Amino acid sequence: LAPKLERILVPMLRAAGFDLQFHLGSGSGAGLDPTFEQPDVTVEFSGRDLDLLLANKGELLLALEHVTLEALRARPEEHSRLMFDANDYRMLRIEELRLSAETAAEKVRRTGVPFKFNPMSSRERRILHLALRNDSSVRTESEGLPPRRQVVVYPAAQRPTP
């Protein structure tokens, strides 16, 4: 995979004019909670344009990852095998999502009213689902169509309206 990634990323970063370098590593060394992420390969970025890469909730980082997965012709079920990161952004984002899921579940338990998260990527929706999977007082569902697909947290006994 390393030679393929280099053939894609080096010219892409050069053409975009980014001052970024990257290092390929094993997913097991990424410091991630394996409950949420278990990539086979991580691409860790560094360089002067890191702030640009991480702006707007890592939008450019995630876009580079998406374009690279498309260039690799990776099937959707293989997308979780590769992860782009910089300055532990992904680990911090997973923790942020996990805490948001717990806060939403508490609000749903307290009020009995479903909670809708803003639309997010399938990878981030998966983290919300996993964070609450063992909480028997609530259940989660993804609703809507991409790119507007979102997670909704319901009281366990409540069924969604069609």
Short mmCIF file of all heavy atoms in Angstrom, two decimals, residues 49-85:
data_model
loop_
_atom_site.label_atom_id
_atom_site.label_comp_id
_atom_site.label_asym_id
_atom_site.label_seq_id
_atom_site.Cartn_x
_atom_site.Cartn_y
_atom_site.Cartn_z
N ASP A 49 1.64 23.75 6.69
CA ASP A 49 0.22 23.92 6.35
C ASP A 49 -0.72 23.04 7.17
O ASP A 49 -1.87 22.82 6.79
CB ASP A 49 0.00 23.66 4.86
CG ASP A 49 0.54 24.79 4.00
OD1 ASP A 49 0.65 25.93 4.51
OD2 ASP A 49 0.87 24.55 2.82
N LEU A 50 -0.24 22.56 8.31
CA LEU A 50 -1.06 21.69 9.15
C LEU A 50 -2.33 22.38 9.63
O LEU A 50 -3.40 21.76 9.66
CB LEU A 50 -0.23 21.24 10.35
CG LEU A 50 -0.45 19.83 10.85
CD1 LEU A 50 -0.40 18.81 9.74
CD2 LEU A 50 0.57 19.49 11.92
N ASP A 51 -2.23 23.67 9.97
CA ASP A 51 -3.43 24.40 10.43
C ASP A 51 -4.50 24.43 9.34
O ASP A 51 -5.69 24.28 9.63
CB ASP A 51 -3.09 25.83 10.85
CG ASP A 51 -2.31 25.87 12.16
OD1 ASP A 51 -2.33 24.85 12.89
OD2 ASP A 51 -1.69 26.91 12.44
N LEU A 52 -4.08 24.60 8.12
CA LEU A 52 -5.01 24.59 6.99
C LEU A 52 -5.66 23.21 6.85
O LEU A 52 -6.86 23.09 6.61
CB LEU A 52 -4.27 24.95 5.70
CG LEU A 52 -5.07 25.02 4.41
CD1 LEU A 52 -6.16 26.08 4.50
CD2 LEU A 52 -4.14 25.31 3.25
N LEU A 53 -4.88 22.18 7.04
CA LEU A 53 -5.37 20.81 6.93
C LEU A 53 -6.43 20.49 7.99
O LEU A 53 -7.37 19.75 7.73
CB LEU A 53 -4.18 19.85 7.07
CG LEU A 53 -4.34 18.42 6.63
CD1 LEU A 53 -4.61 18.33 5.14
CD2 LEU A 53 -3.10 17.62 6.97
N LEU A 54 -6.28 21.09 9.17
CA LEU A 54 -7.18 20.79 10.29
C LEU A 54 -8.30 21.80 10.49
O LEU A 54 -9.16 21.60 11.35
CB LEU A 54 -6.36 20.65 11.58
CG LEU A 54 -5.35 19.51 11.57
CD1 LEU A 54 -4.52 19.52 12.84
CD2 LEU A 54 -6.03 18.17 11.38
N ALA A 55 -8.32 22.86 9.70
CA ALA A 55 -9.37 23.88 9.84
C ALA A 55 -10.75 23.28 9.56
O ALA A 55 -10.88 22.27 8.85
CB ALA A 55 -9.10 25.04 8.87
N ASN A 56 -11.77 23.89 10.10
CA ASN A 56 -13.17 23.46 9.91
C ASN A 56 -13.37 21.97 10.20
O ASN A 56 -13.86 21.21 9.38
CB ASN A 56 -13.65 23.77 8.48
CG ASN A 56 -13.71 25.25 8.21
OD1 ASN A 56 -14.04 26.03 9.10
ND2 ASN A 56 -13.36 25.64 7.00
N LYS A 57 -12.98 21.58 11.41
CA LYS A 57 -13.14 20.19 11.86
C LYS A 57 -12.42 19.19 10.95
O LYS A 57 -12.93 18.12 10.65
CB LYS A 57 -14.61 19.82 12.01
CG LYS A 57 -15.32 20.60 13.09
CD LYS A 57 -16.72 20.10 13.29
CE LYS A 57 -17.38 20.90 14.40
NZ LYS A 57 -18.75 20.48 14.64
N GLY A 58 -11.24 19.58 10.51
CA GLY A 58 -10.43 18.67 9.70
C GLY A 58 -10.99 18.41 8.32
O GLY A 58 -10.70 17.38 7.70
N GLU A 59 -11.73 19.37 7.79
CA GLU A 59 -12.41 19.17 6.51
C GLU A 59 -11.44 18.80 5.37
O GLU A 59 -11.70 17.87 4.61
CB GLU A 59 -13.18 20.45 6.16
CG GLU A 59 -14.09 20.32 4.97
CD GLU A 59 -14.95 21.56 4.80
OE1 GLU A 59 -14.38 22.68 4.72
OE2 GLU A 59 -16.17 21.41 4.76
N LEU A 60 -10.33 19.49 5.28
CA LEU A 60 -9.36 19.20 4.22
C LEU A 60 -8.68 17.85 4.45
O LEU A 60 -8.48 17.08 3.51
CB LEU A 60 -8.33 20.32 4.10
CG LEU A 60 -7.32 20.19 2.97
CD1 LEU A 60 -8.01 20.03 1.62
CD2 LEU A 60 -6.40 21.40 2.95
N LEU A 61 -8.36 17.54 5.70
CA LEU A 61 -7.77 16.24 6.03
C LEU A 61 -8.71 15.11 5.58
O LEU A 61 -8.28 14.16 4.93
CB LEU A 61 -7.52 16.15 7.54
CG LEU A 61 -7.01 14.83 8.06
CD1 LEU A 61 -5.54 14.64 7.68
CD2 LEU A 61 -7.17 14.76 9.58
N LEU A 62 -9.99 15.24 5.91
CA LEU A 62 -10.97 14.21 5.54
C LEU A 62 -11.19 14.16 4.03
O LEU A 62 -11.37 13.09 3.46
CB LEU A 62 -12.28 14.46 6.27
CG LEU A 62 -12.20 14.41 7.80
CD1 LEU A 62 -13.53 14.78 8.43
CD2 LEU A 62 -11.70 13.08 8.30
N ALA A 63 -11.12 15.32 3.38
CA ALA A 63 -11.27 15.36 1.92
C ALA A 63 -10.09 14.66 1.24
O ALA A 63 -10.28 13.90 0.29
CB ALA A 63 -11.40 16.80 1.44
N LEU A 64 -8.88 14.92 1.73
CA LEU A 64 -7.70 14.23 1.18
C LEU A 64 -7.82 12.72 1.37
O LEU A 64 -7.50 11.95 0.47
CB LEU A 64 -6.42 14.73 1.85
CG LEU A 64 -5.86 16.05 1.39
CD1 LEU A 64 -4.67 16.47 2.26
CD2 LEU A 64 -5.43 15.98 -0.07
N GLU A 65 -8.30 12.32 2.52
CA GLU A 65 -8.49 10.89 2.78
C GLU A 65 -9.51 10.31 1.80
O GLU A 65 -9.28 9.26 1.20
CB GLU A 65 -8.96 10.69 4.22
CG GLU A 65 -9.18 9.24 4.61
CD GLU A 65 -9.67 9.13 6.04
OE1 GLU A 65 -10.88 9.30 6.27
OE2 GLU A 65 -8.83 8.86 6.91
N HIS A 66 -10.60 11.01 1.61
CA HIS A 66 -11.66 10.54 0.71
C HIS A 66 -11.16 10.43 -0.74
O HIS A 66 -11.38 9.42 -1.41
CB HIS A 66 -12.87 11.47 0.78
CG HIS A 66 -13.98 11.08 -0.12
ND1 HIS A 66 -14.83 10.04 0.15
CD2 HIS A 66 -14.35 11.57 -1.33
CE1 HIS A 66 -15.69 9.90 -0.84
NE2 HIS A 66 -15.42 10.82 -1.75
N VAL A 67 -10.48 11.47 -1.21
CA VAL A 67 -9.97 11.46 -2.58
C VAL A 67 -8.94 10.33 -2.76
O VAL A 67 -8.94 9.63 -3.77
CB VAL A 67 -9.34 12.83 -2.94
CG1 VAL A 67 -8.55 12.76 -4.23
CG2 VAL A 67 -10.44 13.88 -3.03
N THR A 68 -8.12 10.11 -1.75
CA THR A 68 -7.13 9.04 -1.82
C THR A 68 -7.81 7.68 -1.87
O THR A 68 -7.42 6.81 -2.66
CB THR A 68 -6.17 9.13 -0.63
OG1 THR A 68 -5.53 10.41 -0.65
CG2 THR A 68 -5.12 8.03 -0.68
N LEU A 69 -8.84 7.48 -1.06
CA LEU A 69 -9.58 6.21 -1.08
C LEU A 69 -10.22 5.98 -2.44
O LEU A 69 -10.23 4.86 -2.95
CB LEU A 69 -10.64 6.19 0.03
CG LEU A 69 -10.09 6.01 1.44
CD1 LEU A 69 -11.14 6.37 2.48
CD2 LEU A 69 -9.58 4.59 1.65
N GLU A 70 -10.72 7.04 -3.05
CA GLU A 70 -11.30 6.92 -4.40
C GLU A 70 -10.22 6.57 -5.41
O GLU A 70 -10.42 5.72 -6.28
CB GLU A 70 -12.01 8.22 -4.80
CG GLU A 70 -13.29 8.49 -4.01
CD GLU A 70 -14.37 7.46 -4.25
OE1 GLU A 70 -14.57 7.05 -5.42
OE2 GLU A 70 -15.00 7.04 -3.26
N ALA A 71 -9.06 7.22 -5.29
CA ALA A 71 -7.96 6.94 -6.22
C ALA A 71 -7.46 5.51 -6.07
O ALA A 71 -7.03 4.88 -7.04
CB ALA A 71 -6.82 7.93 -6.00
N LEU A 72 -7.52 4.98 -4.85
CA LEU A 72 -7.13 3.59 -4.60
C LEU A 72 -8.22 2.61 -5.03
O LEU A 72 -8.00 1.41 -5.00
CB LEU A 72 -6.84 3.38 -3.11
CG LEU A 72 -5.58 4.02 -2.56
CD1 LEU A 72 -5.57 3.95 -1.03
CD2 LEU A 72 -4.34 3.34 -3.13
N ARG A 73 -9.38 3.15 -5.39
CA ARG A 73 -10.54 2.33 -5.74
C ARG A 73 -10.95 1.40 -4.60
O ARG A 73 -11.32 0.24 -4.81
CB ARG A 73 -10.29 1.52 -7.01
CG ARG A 73 -10.14 2.37 -8.25
CD ARG A 73 -9.91 1.50 -9.45
NE ARG A 73 -9.76 2.00 -10.79
CZ ARG A 73 -9.51 3.18 -11.26
NH1 ARG A 73 -9.40 4.17 -10.48
NH2 ARG A 73 -9.37 3.43 -12.54
N ALA A 74 -10.85 1.92 -3.37
CA ALA A 74 -11.23 1.15 -2.19
C ALA A 74 -12.75 1.06 -2.10
O ALA A 74 -13.45 2.05 -2.29
CB ALA A 74 -10.66 1.80 -0.93
N ARG A 75 -13.22 -0.14 -1.82
CA ARG A 75 -14.66 -0.34 -1.63
C ARG A 75 -15.06 0.30 -0.29
O ARG A 75 -14.23 0.40 0.62
CB ARG A 75 -14.99 -1.83 -1.64
CG ARG A 75 -14.72 -2.48 -3.01
CD ARG A 75 -15.17 -3.93 -3.06
NE ARG A 75 -14.72 -4.76 -1.97
CZ ARG A 75 -13.56 -5.43 -1.93
NH1 ARG A 75 -12.73 -5.36 -2.94
NH2 ARG A 75 -13.23 -6.16 -0.88
N PRO A 76 -16.31 0.75 -0.15
CA PRO A 76 -16.75 1.40 1.10
C PRO A 76 -16.42 0.60 2.36
O PRO A 76 -16.04 1.18 3.37
CB PRO A 76 -18.25 1.56 0.91
CG PRO A 76 -18.43 1.66 -0.57
CD PRO A 76 -17.38 0.74 -1.16
N GLU A 77 -16.55 -0.71 2.30
CA GLU A 77 -16.26 -1.53 3.48
C GLU A 77 -14.77 -1.56 3.82
O GLU A 77 -14.38 -1.99 4.91
CB GLU A 77 -16.83 -2.95 3.33
CG GLU A 77 -16.26 -3.74 2.18
CD GLU A 77 -17.01 -3.58 0.86
OE1 GLU A 77 -17.83 -2.65 0.71
OE2 GLU A 77 -16.75 -4.38 -0.04
N GLU A 78 -13.92 -1.08 2.92
CA GLU A 78 -12.48 -1.04 3.17
C GLU A 78 -12.01 0.33 3.67
O GLU A 78 -10.85 0.48 4.06
CB GLU A 78 -11.71 -1.38 1.89
CG GLU A 78 -11.95 -2.78 1.37
CD GLU A 78 -11.29 -3.02 0.02
OE1 GLU A 78 -11.21 -2.08 -0.80
OE2 GLU A 78 -10.85 -4.15 -0.19
N HIS A 79 -12.88 1.32 3.67
CA HIS A 79 -12.48 2.69 4.02
C HIS A 79 -11.90 2.80 5.42
O HIS A 79 -11.01 3.62 5.66
CB HIS A 79 -13.65 3.65 3.84
CG HIS A 79 -13.96 3.93 2.41
ND1 HIS A 79 -14.75 4.98 2.03
CD2 HIS A 79 -13.59 3.31 1.26
CE1 HIS A 79 -14.86 4.99 0.71
NE2 HIS A 79 -14.16 3.98 0.23
N SER A 80 -12.37 2.00 6.35
CA SER A 80 -11.88 2.10 7.72
C SER A 80 -10.47 1.54 7.88
O SER A 80 -9.85 1.69 8.93
CB SER A 80 -12.84 1.40 8.68
OG SER A 80 -12.89 0.02 8.38
N ARG A 81 -9.92 0.90 6.85
CA ARG A 81 -8.58 0.32 6.93
C ARG A 81 -7.47 1.38 6.78
O ARG A 81 -6.33 1.11 7.11
CB ARG A 81 -8.42 -0.76 5.86
CG ARG A 81 -9.38 -1.94 6.10
CD ARG A 81 -9.23 -3.00 5.07
NE ARG A 81 -7.87 -3.54 5.12
CZ ARG A 81 -7.29 -4.12 4.08
NH1 ARG A 81 -7.92 -4.25 2.93
NH2 ARG A 81 -6.07 -4.60 4.20
N LEU A 82 -7.83 2.57 6.30
CA LEU A 82 -6.87 3.65 6.09
C LEU A 82 -7.35 4.88 6.83
O LEU A 82 -8.54 5.22 6.77
CB LEU A 82 -6.75 3.97 4.59
CG LEU A 82 -5.86 5.13 4.20
CD1 LEU A 82 -4.40 4.82 4.50
CD2 LEU A 82 -6.03 5.44 2.72
N MET A 83 -6.45 5.53 7.55
CA MET A 83 -6.84 6.73 8.29
C MET A 83 -5.78 7.80 8.15
O MET A 83 -4.59 7.53 8.34
CB MET A 83 -7.04 6.39 9.77
CG MET A 83 -7.55 7.58 10.57
SD MET A 83 -7.67 7.22 12.31
CE MET A 83 -5.96 7.32 12.77
N PHE A 84 -6.22 9.01 7.81
CA PHE A 84 -5.33 10.16 7.76
C PHE A 84 -5.45 10.89 9.09
O PHE A 84 -6.54 11.02 9.64
CB PHE A 84 -5.76 11.11 6.64
CG PHE A 84 -5.35 10.65 5.26
CD1 PHE A 84 -5.04 9.34 4.98
CD2 PHE A 84 -5.31 11.56 4.23
CE1 PHE A 84 -4.67 8.93 3.71
CE2 PHE A 84 -4.94 11.17 2.95
CZ PHE A 84 -4.62 9.85 2.69
N ASP A 85 -4.31 11.40 9.59
CA ASP A 85 -4.33 12.12 10.87
C ASP A 85 -3.24 13.17 10.88
O ASP A 85 -2.32 13.15 10.06
CB ASP A 85 -4.14 11.14 12.03
CG ASP A 85 -4.61 11.69 13.36
OD1 ASP A 85 -5.16 12.81 13.41
OD2 ASP A 85 -4.43 11.00 14.37
#
